[in-house]
Amino acid sequence: MQMNKTTLIIGANLLLGITACQPPSDKNDSSDTTSTSAQSVESPSTQPLVEAKTPKALTKALVKLSEKTLKEQLICTKLDDTINAIDNKSEIEDIHTVQRQIDACLPVADNAEILRWLEYYQAMYGRFLSADSSMYDEAFFTVMNNIDQDGKLTVAQLRQVNPRVRYLISLVRSRADVSVRYMGEGHFEFHHDLTAMANMFTPYLPDDQSEFIQRMAQDNQEIFWFDAAIAISLEELVERAVFWEDFISRYPDSRFYDDANALLDTCRYLLFFGSENVQWIDDDIRKFYLLKDERLMMQLAERTDSQLAEDVQKLLVFMEQSDSERHQLYPVPDKDENGHKINEWEVAHYQLNKALDIPSLRDTVKDRNCFNGVICVDETGQ
């Protein structure tokens, strides 16, 4: 009997706490009654307590609520270890288990925890989809190429590859969150849906972090580099540059400000200097190869309060300067800052670099990788 009295006291106190928070109703106003009725609907966590009609039912509801809370707390405190335990021997069901636990923990996590789990989750998928060096043989490339082209494979071809590769291929063919991506120069990798990853975490993040992660997922779903060339068009490169310039302007205090600024500088450098196998401007920096690219850059020059616009304006002035004017303004030494001889065909690019003063890719990227996932990570942590 003493147990029932104690239970009733606890239950009464809980119910008083719940009902005390409800606004008073006005019986003379039907609209107020409707509003109060909507507000009085209990949350899932307190509903069983309200519905309990007997001491026994109330005791069971309290115990069940405590067990659920304790279980979630235990899962969340172990979530780091659970995510980090996934490797290239795990199965897709293990991934699904992690996803369910993340879904349960995100609503009660703080920002630091959410970002840490996101970093671990990104690394987890990298481990899950990785293949050791022994897998990269001729049979592997034949199978991966066939999947990438038309998806057709023979039983004999599958038997020639590593069992782990066969398993990942089965996930590709069953339309699980695994795909094949060609990286260029004869290299393939297993990949997954970055937008799905972003969508798990962004509802629980502030606007700047959510926007950064969603953009990274969009940009990095496909490769950025291909056979030492930029794998996207100048138009898309300009669009990315404009996005990152606007981002750092709108979110100067963002946790991701430095990474966004590095991405902007990377886009700036590639806009004007291209890559080893892709150039938008001729070697003498006199004209654009394509008229549509010239028009695109002219439009970029019209932006207001924009570093990108200033860069383009400097480029256009440089393109009109004679060789003697360039040499007077930007003298060329025999060797560059790294002690390398400056060849004749490199002179114009060296002078343009001085005119624009844009950080080199080496200084921009440093040891951060911003082209594979939804967040940038240190290369040493890859």
Side-chain angles (χ1 to χ4, degrees):
M1 188 64 182
Q2 182 64 37
M3 182 63 180
N4 288 340
K5 288 181 179 180
T6 302
T7 304
L8 285 172
I9 291 171
I10 295 172
N13 287 335
L14 284 168
L15 291 173
L16 283 173
I18 295 167
T19 55
C21 296
Q22 302 300 325
S25 61
D26 186 349
K27 295 181 180 179
N28 295 326
D29 190 337
S30 60
S31 63
D32 287 350
T33 301
T34 303
S35 176
T36 303
S37 174
Q39 292 178 6
S40 65
V41 176
E42 305 302 333
S43 66
S45 62
T46 58
Q47 189 72 29
L49 302 181
V50 176
E51 294 178 347
K53 304 299 183 184
T54 65
K56 183 176 180 180
L58 184 57
T59 300
K60 291 179 66 177
L62 286 168
V63 170
K64 187 174 182 180
L65 179 61
S66 299
E67 287 178 345
K68 184 176 184 295
T69 302
L70 288 172
K71 182 178 179 181
E72 287 184 353
Q73 289 178 347
L74 181 61
I75 288 174
C76 297
T77 57
K78 298 290 186 181
L79 188 54
D80 288 24
D81 294 336
T82 303
I83 298 174
N84 290 329
I86 301 295
D87 58 19
N88 62 355
K89 297 181 179 61
S90 302
E91 298 186 350
I92 196 65
E93 288 76 18
D94 301 318
I95 299 285
H96 294 160
T97 297
V98 168
Q99 290 170 341
R100 287 191 295 270
Q101 293 184 11
I102 289 176
D103 286 339
C105 295
L106 284 175
V108 295
D110 61 32
N111 186 253
E113 288 175 315
I114 294 173
L115 292 178
R116 186 177 72 249
W117 291 337
L118 175 57
E119 181 178 352
Y120 289 169
Y121 187 79
Q122 178 170 292
M124 175 202 76
Y125 248 108
R127 294 191 303 273
F128 179 76
L129 298 176
S130 67
D132 62 54
S133 58
S134 64
M135 299 180 187
Y136 296 115
D137 54 19
E138 185 177 348
F140 172 82
F141 291 115
T142 298
V143 167
M144 296 291 274
N145 184 63
N146 286 356
I147 294 176
D148 186 52
Q149 294 299 319
D150 56 23
K152 296 180 180 179
L153 293 172
T154 66
V155 174
Q157 287 174 328
L158 284 172
R159 286 176 178 170
Q160 293 178 16
V161 297
N162 182 288
R164 181 64 182 181
V165 173
R166 285 202 298 271
Y167 175 70
L168 293 175
I169 289 172
S170 73
L171 297 181
V172 174
R173 302 179 83 175
S174 65
R175 300 187 182 278
D177 185 14
V178 179
S179 58
V180 169
R181 184 166 72 165
Y182 182 57
M183 304 297 292
E185 298 182 343
H187 295 289
F188 291 91
E189 71 171 8
F190 290 103
H191 195 45
H192 69 109
D193 188 349
L194 296 181
T195 299
M197 176 192 292
N199 289 343
M200 287 180 61
F201 292 87
T202 51
Y204 306 97
L205 293 172
D207 290 345
D208 66 301
Q209 296 176 8
S210 176
E211 193 170 334
F212 179 92
I213 289 166
Q214 288 173 333
R215 181 66 199 208
M216 290 282 284
Q218 173 187 320
D219 288 350
N220 292 339
Q221 189 61 51
E222 302 300 332
I223 60 173
F224 185 78
W225 297 107
F226 185 90
D227 287 345
I230 305 168
I232 61 176
S233 66
L234 180 64
E235 182 177 7
E236 187 172 350
L237 188 61
V238 167
E239 193 274 331
R240 291 191 189 190
V242 168
F243 174 87
W244 292 121
E245 183 172 57
D246 289 344
F247 181 93
I248 63 175
S249 175
R250 285 183 289 117
Y251 302 115
D253 299 319
S254 173
R255 179 189 183 100
F256 294 128
Y257 179 91
D258 289 342
D259 287 335
N261 193 53
L263 284 162
L264 171 60
D265 282 343
T266 298
C267 291
R268 288 175 64 203
Y269 184 89
L270 295 175
L271 280 174
F272 300 102
F273 298 100
S275 66
E276 182 179 338
N277 292 336
V278 172
Q279 297 291 323
W280 328 107
I281 310 171
D282 68 355
D283 291 341
D284 294 329
I285 318 294
R286 296 294 178 191
K287 61 181 180 179
F288 290 91
Y289 285 121
L290 299 176
L291 181 59
K292 67 180 183 67
D293 290 342
E294 181 179 0
R295 290 172 178 168
L296 193 63
M297 297 295 269
M298 291 293 189
Q299 292 174 1
L300 188 58
E302 296 175 0
R303 280 173 59 83
T304 57
D305 299 322
S306 167
Q307 179 63 59
L308 290 168
E310 290 182 21
D311 292 339
V312 178
Q313 291 162 11
K314 290 179 181 178
L315 169 68
L316 297 176
V317 170
F318 184 86
M319 294 176 79
E320 294 298 323
Q321 290 171 341
S322 65
D323 289 346
S324 60
E325 287 176 318
R326 291 180 180 181
H327 281 294
Q328 184 176 358
L329 291 169
Y330 315 108
V332 181
D334 293 332
K335 296 181 179 180
D336 63 17
E337 293 83 353
N338 299 315
H340 300 142
K341 181 182 177 181
I342 300 176
N343 297 309
E344 187 65 30
W345 60 271
E346 296 175 306
V347 168
H349 285 83
Y350 177 88
Q351 292 172 321
L352 179 62
N353 190 29
K354 292 300 180 182
L356 297 181
D357 193 26
I358 296 176
S360 68
L361 290 182
R362 186 184 300 105
D363 295 331
T364 297
V365 176
K366 296 181 180 178
D367 294 325
R368 296 283 280 175
N369 184 341
C370 294
F371 293 103
N372 280 339
V374 298
I375 56 173
C376 303
V377 295
D378 293 335
E379 285 283 11
T380 53
Q382 287 282 294

